[in-house]
């Protein structure tokens, strides 16, 4: 190792100027398999006050558990040559990009429209439960916070590689609540007794 | 599938002291927003070693790297060229990665409704741009030197001139948002955001270098700012 990673700095209050061009609250689209779901939530600080100046990014696999990432698509043996969409994916042009970015509103709220991801492999050879990787940036945060959204009524949560690393009493902070069949609620509590689990990533 | 997975390697974590703690009380906004519980160590999985790609994404505007050409007129201020490379700790380039920047104008004012600093807006300056690095990780922005601006963190608080940088790199694990500063800025010793990182060498790497090589005669001063992302683990998956 010859170099050292650059130090993180806060996004500050004015990130909208730089980050709004690629705001994406809808990951679905024509040709994207999977039922559409909506994930709504709010971000709160240590006093329970809403955080109106944050930005949430999500990264997830498609309904079949494939990430739209060149390295993975190149090496995966699971892409069928005959499938037109798979051909697109092999060229790194997946119809499902898997990336979302939204700012929080004045009441700390945010929402995404997406599809439920499939299961992806864990390092120990098991399959992970369906989940969405999340980055949280806000004014006041000097570093990104990393967390995950899991799905309710999902038996595979019990054996999930990452959930098992978390104290049983805190796992619920990572699991969305079901509002209706296609609508989930998942909140971010930055600090306090009900603090969301954040990962050292 | 398991042999397949053995090819994937995680990313190294930062050296101790080279990244800020979440809680840095001198930066008052961190006090109620920093997590109070220890982070849970997550060995990288496929979810962290993959990440979004913007290469050939239709939203990329090839002209967006020049912040001085977004309006009919030229923005006021000192024209500068900010260039550098996005590399990992082993010196490998991050190719075709998205770099987004945002900044105040020459008077220290952001084009943002929350910014109430009593300084003029510049009708010819938006203060935002983006570009993709090339295959060797090189990037280049043309902009104007941002002004210092006041904030209310403490009495007579002023942010040193800076440009916000957002970079993805090859993976979810390498996502980074940071700020670039200018050499010789007298405000740096007083800024709690610049000083949030314990390691002095690490924070000084946020200061760009004035560079004759990239300075364009009768056009613009050149500044170099390299961005280093976490390196790759040498061994596949931790067991
Ligand atoms: Fe700023």
């Amino acid at each position: 190792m010859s170099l050292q990673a650059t130090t993180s700095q806060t996004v500050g209050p004015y990130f909208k100027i730089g980050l709004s061009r690629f705001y994406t609250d809808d990951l679905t689209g024509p040709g994207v398999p999977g039922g559409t779901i909506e994930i709504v939530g709010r971000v709160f600080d240590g006093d329970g006050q809403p955080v109106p100046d944050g930005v949430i990014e999500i990264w997830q696999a498609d309904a079949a558990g494939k990430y739209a990432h060149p390295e993975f698509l190149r090496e995966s043996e699971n892409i069928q040559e005959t499938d037109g969409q798979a051909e697109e994916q092999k060229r790194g042009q997946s119809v499902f990009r898997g990336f979302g970015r939204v700012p929080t509103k004045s009441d700390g709220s945010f929402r995404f429209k997406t599809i439920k991801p499939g299961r992806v492999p864990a390092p120990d050879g098991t399959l992970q439960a369906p989940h969405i990787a999340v980055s949280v940036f806000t004014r006041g945060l000097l570093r990104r916070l990393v967390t995950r959204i899991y799905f309710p009524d999902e038996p595979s949560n019990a054996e999930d590689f990452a959930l098992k690393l978390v104290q049983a009493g805190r796992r619920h902070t990572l699991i969305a609540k079901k509002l209706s069949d296609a609508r989930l609620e998942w909140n971010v509590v930055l600090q306090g007794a009900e603090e969301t689990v954040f990962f050292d990533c | 599938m398991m042999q397949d997975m053995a090819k994937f390697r995680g990313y190294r974590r930062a050296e101790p002291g080279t990244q800020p703690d979440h809680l840095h009380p001198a930066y008052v906004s961190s006090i109620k927003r920093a997590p109070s519980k220890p982070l849970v160590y997550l060995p990288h999985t496929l979810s962290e070693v993959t990440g979004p790609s913007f290469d050939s994404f239709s939203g990329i505007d090839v002209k967006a790297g020049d912040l001085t050409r977004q309006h009919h007129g030229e923005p006021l201020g000192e024209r500068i060229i900010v260039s550098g490379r996005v590399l990992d700790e082993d010196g490998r380039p991050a190719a075709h990665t998205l770099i987004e920047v945002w900044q105040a104008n020459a008077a220290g004012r952001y084009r943002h409704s929350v910014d109430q600093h009593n300084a003029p807006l510049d009708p010819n300056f938006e203060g935002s741009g983006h570009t993709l690095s090339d295959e060797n990780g090189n990037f280049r922005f043309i902009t104007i030197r941002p002004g210092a601006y006041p904030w209310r963190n403490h009495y007579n608080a002023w942010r040193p001139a800076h440009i916000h940088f957002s970079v993805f790199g090859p993976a979810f694990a390498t996502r980074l948002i940071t700020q670039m500063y200018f050499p010789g800025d007298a405000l740096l010793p007083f800024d709690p955001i610049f000083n949030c990182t314990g390691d002095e060498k690490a924070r000084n790497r946020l200061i760009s270098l004035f560079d004759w090589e990239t300075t364009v005669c009768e056009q613009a001063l050149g500044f170099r700012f390299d961005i280093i992302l976490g390196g790759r683990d040498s061994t596949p998956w931790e067991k």
Side-chain angles (χ1 to χ4, degrees), chain B residues 133-228:
Chain B
S133 62
D134 71 11
E135 64 273 20
N136 296 314
N138 293 297
F139 67 86
R140 183 171 185 265
F141 289 99
I142 303 173
T143 184
I144 52 99
R145 186 180 176 123
Y149 61 85
W151 59 314
R152 290 177 178 154
N153 187 72
H154 53 274
Y155 175 72
N156 211 6
W158 292 80
R159 294 294 333 275
H162 60 276
I163 300 176
H164 296 263
F165 271 76
S166 163
V167 185
F168 281 85
F172 178 82
T174 57
R175 182 83 177 93
L176 176 73
I177 292 184
T178 188
Q179 300 180 26
M180 181 201 103
Y181 298 89
F182 289 85
D185 193 323
L187 291 169
L188 286 169
F190 305 100
D191 182 46
I193 293 179
F194 172 72
N195 288 291
C196 68
T197 302
D199 184 308
E200 184 183 1
K201 284 187 187 145
R203 62 178 185 260
N204 284 341
R205 284 192 293 270
L206 296 178
I207 305 173
S208 58
L209 302 172
F210 171 66
D211 183 25
W212 276 115
E213 294 293 321
T214 52
T215 292
V216 176
C217 184
E218 297 180 21
Q219 266 304 305
L221 295 179
F223 291 88
R224 297 261 330 162
F225 184 56
D226 291 335
I227 297 170
I228 313 301

Side-chain angles (χ1 to χ4, degrees), chain B residues 54-66:
Chain B
F54 295 85
D55 190 13
S56 74
F57 176 54
S58 59
I60 300 295
D61 176 356
V62 294
K63 300 189 298 296
D66 188 344

